[in-house]
Amino acid sequence: MMTAPLRFRSTRGQAPVLTFDAALLQGLAPDGGLYIPEEIPKLSPAVWRQASSFPEMATGVLAQWLSGTFSEESVAAVVGEALSFPVPLVPLGDALYVLELFHGPTLSFKDFGARTMARFAREVLARRAEQLLVLVATSGDTGSAVADGFAGLEGVRVGLLYPYGQVSPVQERQLIVRRPGVQAFAVEGTFDDCQRLVKTAFADPDFSSVRLSSANSINVGRLLPQMLYYIWAVAVGGFDEVVFCVPSGNLGNLTGGVLAALSGLPVRRFIAAHNANDFFPRFLAGEGPAFGPSRRTLSNAMDVGRPSNFERLEALLGSQMSQWIWGTSVSDKETLERIRRVYASTGYIADPHTAVGLEAAQRYREATGDQAPLVVLATAHPAKFPEVVRRALDFEPQVPERLARLWEAETSVVRIEATLDALKTHLLPHVVATRT
Ligand SMILES: *Cc1c(COP(=O)(O)O)cnc(C)c1O
């Protein structure tokens, strides 16, 4: 039976509703809102009770959400290519678990969204005989996940902008390693300059002949895959009910979990674990929305003062937000202390983002007395942050093979001034060449 495809509406209600493929190319809605599903499909409990492998479970879920837009066959092909890495649930004792989301090629959970979105985009571009230029401003994990996800796909070129001298050595390596169809730019300026360049490129007539995408975390193509590992954790853990603790910045990961819960996954509560960028915990505590400038911390992928997915959470949960989500903010000092304590008591080495989650989980249990099984999402591999781990533990984590290999790989980076002219000079010939 063919059902009408699920459609996506803007959180601001002033833009046309779109099917997934159109929303994916659109990114931000024309009214400035973010796309959310018009209705939430209900999952059968068999999805997590009888799951046999991650790709099989993921295919079933996404095929249901995207029915009428993508065939089950093409969903299976996308998932099989994009999500072919392990997702282990590691018990730490006392019904506390970490779900390791860092076994993808760039060692952070962003591989799930970026790799899946890229392959859905390839399908849509092929159907429409269109090409895409992805422009990303990045200060860390997003850029490498997007570059890796989109590299070498037919019809796609990627420009990667990062602030020269302001990312860690591991992060920089992951950005500049040579990938087909990808050009990295080391911008002489700040992260904000990089973002400004991307924004002005989007509005510039010289780029009007190409379809541009930022592939940023608000894209529905990145959001939907972020439901999948929540479902997988319940499947593997065999939980009747579970609390998820999510190290958060832009709140995209958490929004993925909320979608899974709204479609029937037995989630008791979410914990939003933030670093010193504490807008959301303060909002949950009743202080009202008051965004602030971002502050730099040791868990830098969560240094977000104005979380873009907040608008989605409000649209999805409304006044029930604080029943569903418990929030807390963790300092750098407490992050280092948590890395030490967890290592001392279990031998587990947590990266700084995961450590913020582990500290928040402990606080949640103390504050509420809730002893339900609790899963902390481990969002990055500790080897991505050797300096922080050394500060906490006096040694550096073992470097996995796929990260070690980067130091032998060829690199390609162009250093540019922070001006649109400089970007155009180096990027446009590259793009035009792909359009012939
Ligand atoms: C991006 C990121 C986060 C924050 O995820 P959001 O979806 O922005 O809330 C947490 N940890 C790591 C390692 C990340 O790269």
Side-chain angles (χ1 to χ4, degrees):
M1 192 188 67
M2 195 70 187
T3 49
L6 176 64
R7 296 188 306 172
F8 291 78
R9 66 176 173 88
S10 165
T11 46
R12 302 197 184 167
Q14 304 295 314
V17 291
L18 300 177
T19 50
F20 176 77
D21 48 337
L24 179 122
L25 290 187
Q26 181 72 42
L28 196 67
D31 62 358
L34 280 66
Y35 288 107
I36 54 171
E38 259 191 328
E39 280 167 56
I40 311 257
K42 281 276 166 275
L43 296 173
S44 150
V47 169
W48 54 89
R49 297 217 180 110
Q50 289 160 28
S52 64
S53 74
F54 188 92
E56 177 251 8
M57 178 280 300
T59 300
V61 173
L62 289 180
Q64 186 185 350
W65 276 67
L66 303 180
S67 134
T69 308
F70 286 98
S71 68
E72 178 154 358
E73 215 174 21
S74 54
V75 172
V78 165
V79 164
E81 252 186 65
L83 304 177
S84 52
F85 45 85
V87 189
L89 181 71
V90 180
L92 295 184
D94 276 340
L96 178 69
Y97 301 80
V98 289
L99 183 68
E100 293 186 345
L101 304 178
F102 52 69
H103 295 281
T106 71
L107 296 89
S108 89
F109 87 91
K110 296 207 167 64
D111 283 328
F112 285 87
R115 291 175 66 77
T116 312
M117 175 189 168
R119 282 156 186 81
F120 277 126
R122 178 184 60 193
E123 296 275 320
V124 179
L125 293 167
R127 281 183 200 173
R128 303 185 177 208
E130 283 191 44
Q131 309 213 327
L132 188 69
L133 171 62
V134 178
L135 270 188
V136 211
T138 182
S139 56
D141 297 333
T142 295
S144 50
V146 168
D148 176 86
F150 283 85
L153 297 189
E154 211 174 305
V156 182
R157 287 292 178 277
V158 182
L160 214 56
L161 286 73
Y162 71 95
Y164 178 71
Q166 292 185 39
V167 302
S168 78
V170 175
Q171 284 172 326
E172 178 165 56
R173 243 310 128 152
Q174 288 190 307
L175 291 171
I176 67 176
V177 62
R178 185 188 287 282
R179 298 177 173 98
V182 180
Q183 183 58 59
F185 295 96
V187 176
E188 290 168 358
T190 62
F191 173 62
D192 290 340
D193 291 322
C194 298
Q195 272 194 314
R196 180 178 48 77
L197 279 179
V198 169
K199 263 204 175 133
T200 49
F202 270 65
D204 192 272
D206 284 346
F207 284 96
S208 64
S209 63
V210 283
R211 188 185 267 283
L212 277 168
S213 166
S214 70
N216 59 16
S217 75
I218 54 105
N219 195 293
V220 287
R222 284 181 54 184
L223 183 64
L224 295 197
Q226 291 173 184
M227 296 187 290
L228 301 169
Y229 38 77
Y230 291 90
I231 302 169
W232 182 243
V234 172
V236 176
F239 307 123
D240 292 327
E241 207 180 20
V242 64
V243 175
F244 281 108
C245 178
V246 189
S248 291
N250 254 324
L251 296 169
N253 200 356
L254 181 62
T255 305
V258 165
L259 287 178
L262 292 176
S263 66
L265 192 72
V267 180
R268 188 186 186 94
R269 205 126 192 236
F270 291 98
I271 303 169
H274 288 258
N275 60 26
N277 293 276
D278 61 353
F279 152 77
F280 193 52
R282 284 192 296 112
F283 170 82
L284 292 170
E287 288 183 36
F291 298 124
S294 63
R295 292 179 217 167
R296 293 189 75 160
T297 73
L298 295 177
S299 45
N300 63 10
M302 313 199 302
D303 293 351
V304 180
R306 174 185 271 278
S308 45
N309 281 287
F310 177 64
E311 186 166 333
R312 266 200 183 113
L313 286 176
E314 278 203 303
L316 291 168
L317 297 177
S319 59
Q320 292 184 23
M321 190 116 81
S322 51
Q323 281 143 258
W324 277 94
I325 309 169
W326 189 92
T328 193
S329 151
V330 173
S331 70
D332 278 352
K333 191 164 165 269
E334 291 162 325
T335 304
L336 291 169
E337 185 55 31
R338 183 53 55 186
I339 295 176
R340 273 180 219 117
R341 286 211 204 177
V342 167
Y343 181 71
S345 61
T346 68
Y348 192 80
I349 303 175
D351 96 286
H353 305 80
T354 306
V356 167
L358 287 161
E359 170 67 16
Q362 178 70 26
R363 283 188 201 168
Y364 168 81
R365 281 189 161 172
E366 282 168 13
T368 63
D370 188 354
Q371 289 301 314
L374 199 165
V375 175
V376 176
L377 304 193
T379 51
H381 194 291
K384 280 191 102 160
F385 302 93
E387 305 85 355
V388 181
V389 173
R390 170 172 287 284
R391 262 176 77 179
L393 301 179
D394 284 325
F395 66 86
E396 291 184 4
Q398 234 182 344
V399 177
E401 170 71 24
R402 63 198 182 290
L403 190 57
R405 270 202 307 265
L406 289 184
W407 264 267
E408 285 130 44
E410 236 186 294
T411 59
S412 163
V413 59
V414 181
R415 200 155 140 191
I416 60 167
E417 285 172 42
T419 65
L420 188 59
D421 277 345
L423 181 64
K424 274 187 195 173
T425 306
H426 290 96
L427 192 58
L428 278 175
H430 190 66
V431 175
V432 170
T434 69
R435 290 181 58 79
T436 54

